Amino acid sequence: MANLQTTYLGLPLKSPLVASSSPLTYELDNLRRLEEAGAGAVVLYSLFEEQIELAEMGFSDYYRQHDQELPEALRHIANMKEYNQGAGSYLAHLYQAKQALTIPVIGSLNGYYSSGWTRYARLMEAAGADALELNIYYLPTKAHVTGSEVEQMYIDLVRDVTASVRIPVSVKLSPYFSAMANMARRLVGAGANGLVLFNRFYQPDFDIANRAIVPSLDLSVSSELRLRLRWVALLSDQIDADLAITGGIHTAEDAIKGLMAGANVVMMASALIQNGIDHLAIVARDLDQWLDQYAYNSVSDVRGLLSHAQIGDSAALERANYLNVLRTARRQDNK
């Protein structure tokens, strides 16, 4: 059997397969099953910035009938009791998860601004979190807000959180920055120990019959992996931080691609929601078998084999790929 051990955020992991933040991590029984299936670590479901603000204001038991008592900026908040039980219960769940598992437990904060982040980051650390994942979700819809202002907001938030805790911190990013490599370097300079590429923002749909905007959940597919592979391969030799891929990891082949790009770990959520927690064990088994079949002794033997540093030809990851795809499409069209 191949050695599947790796490290992420300075933490030793028995496997590069990590269960990422999702409703599956809400139940302790699910967390135990994820560990038994071979997860190297788990990222808990997110505590949302809006919930932190409500708790800070004394509205931790908020219900919709009290929404007029809140500032306008907080009146959009759904009743999150179906997803989690608020800030206090989140910390209790984190503590219980640490008692129940032997693998690392990573807490997740979702938001973009609140000063409450630093306090709850410290509370998560006190509750036993081995690391934190900052899931920064900000949509700059105002025309006067510049890209540099958005980037600085990210940098300031990461610097404040990393300065307030001793445990490692990763940042879950969107792919929408105009200069991704520079932004990655700046985030690491601000204290991030790792980057998670990329966040899958859920886009609303339009209900044309009822003239309404409705939430929409689309699970990932393996083809979404390509964007992640490209950027991890380009960044792995440019920044001094660990890299995780999330979005599109469904099979052992997907996981191997992520590792070859240079990722320390690959994260799974949609595949487990779609196929069940036991699917993780199948991926772990297939990953082990693939490594044995191709005579690799460990995960570290394949990590980075297709990264920019190893292939030495950035053209394959940059503009030349675009031209080659067009040329291939033309050939197929002429057949």
Side-chain angles (χ1 to χ4, degrees):
M1 295 180 64
N3 182 358
L4 299 185
Q5 293 179 348
T6 187
T7 59
Y8 177 57
L9 306 178
L11 304 169
L13 273 59
K14 67 179 183 181
S15 166
L17 304 177
V18 173
S20 59
S21 178
S22 80
L24 287 177
T25 62
Y26 181 77
E27 300 290 342
L28 284 178
D29 183 58
N30 284 347
L31 295 175
R32 294 187 183 97
R33 290 177 58 200
L34 286 165
E35 180 174 19
E36 292 171 0
V42 294
V43 184
L44 295 187
Y45 60 88
S46 295
L47 177 62
F48 286 82
E49 174 181 319
E50 290 87 346
Q51 291 178 290
I52 293 175
E53 293 185 2
L54 289 173
E56 295 286 321
M57 296 172 60
F59 282 91
S60 56
D61 293 324
Y62 162 74
Y63 290 91
R64 177 56 58 190
Q65 58 262 36
H66 300 301
D67 62 355
Q68 294 304 313
E69 301 173 38
L70 296 172
E72 185 176 353
L74 290 177
R75 292 178 189 171
H76 68 282
I77 302 172
N79 188 340
M80 297 295 289
K81 287 185 176 294
E82 294 181 2
Y83 182 71
N84 63 46
Q85 296 296 313
S89 294
Y90 186 94
L91 296 171
H93 180 63
L94 171 57
Y95 175 78
Q96 292 167 358
K98 274 302 299 176
Q99 304 308 305
L101 306 178
T102 61
I103 59 176
V105 176
I106 301 172
S108 175
L109 282 168
N110 184 306
Y112 71 96
Y113 178 76
S114 175
S115 60
W117 272 42
T118 54
R119 188 163 83 88
Y120 276 89
R122 290 193 296 268
L123 289 172
M124 286 187 184
E125 180 179 35
D130 295 288
L132 292 179
E133 181 177 283
L134 302 184
N135 188 343
I136 306 175
Y137 188 168
Y138 177 65
L139 191 64
T141 60
K142 306 299 183 183
H144 67 272
V145 177
T146 67
S148 60
E149 289 174 325
V150 174
E151 292 179 358
Q152 191 59 50
M153 180 189 67
Y154 275 63
I155 299 301
D156 292 342
L157 178 56
V158 171
R159 182 177 291 115
D160 289 345
V161 172
T162 56
S164 69
V165 296
R166 291 169 298 199
I167 56 177
V169 175
S170 64
V171 181
K172 194 171 187 178
L173 288 172
S174 80
Y176 302 125
F177 292 99
S178 59
M180 177 58 66
N182 177 263
M183 189 61 184
R185 181 181 63 82
R186 292 178 64 196
L187 287 168
V188 173
N193 305 99
L195 302 178
V196 182
L197 310 179
F198 287 112
N199 204 344
R200 297 182 68 249
F201 292 154
Y202 299 124
Q203 312 294 344
D205 200 359
F206 281 24
D207 180 346
I208 58 176
N210 296 302
R211 289 182 295 177
I213 298 175
V214 295
S216 177
L217 172 61
D218 297 309
L219 298 178
S220 75
V221 294
S222 292
S223 61
E224 294 181 40
L225 186 58
R226 296 168 193 163
L227 177 67
R228 282 89 177 154
L229 295 176
R230 185 185 209 179
W231 274 109
V232 168
L234 287 167
L235 291 175
S236 61
D237 66 329
Q238 296 193 64
I239 62 171
D240 185 21
D242 289 345
L243 294 171
I245 287 180
T246 186
I249 301 294
H250 286 252
T251 66
E253 182 180 78
D254 296 334
I256 294 159
K257 289 178 181 179
L259 295 169
M260 285 189 171
N264 296 78
V265 297
V266 292
M267 297 185 169
M268 303 177 68
S270 291
L272 303 182
I273 293 172
Q274 187 175 41
N275 302 304
I277 289 174
D278 291 340
H279 181 68
L280 195 148
I282 296 173
V283 175
R285 180 203 65 198
D286 292 348
L287 172 60
D288 180 60
Q289 291 178 353
W290 189 93
L291 292 171
D292 282 341
Q293 179 183 350
Y294 289 93
Y296 292 107
N297 293 320
S298 67
V299 163
S300 61
D301 289 341
V302 302
R303 183 173 180 268
L305 287 180
L306 291 177
S307 67
H308 173 244
Q310 291 298 316
I311 63 174
D313 179 15
S314 61
L317 295 165
E318 297 174 359
R319 188 169 174 83
N321 174 71
Y322 173 70
L323 300 175
N324 288 332
V325 168
L326 293 179
R327 183 178 60 181
T328 301
R330 174 75 177 189
R331 288 175 178 173
Q332 292 175 346
D333 187 55
N334 289 334
K335 287 182 179 179

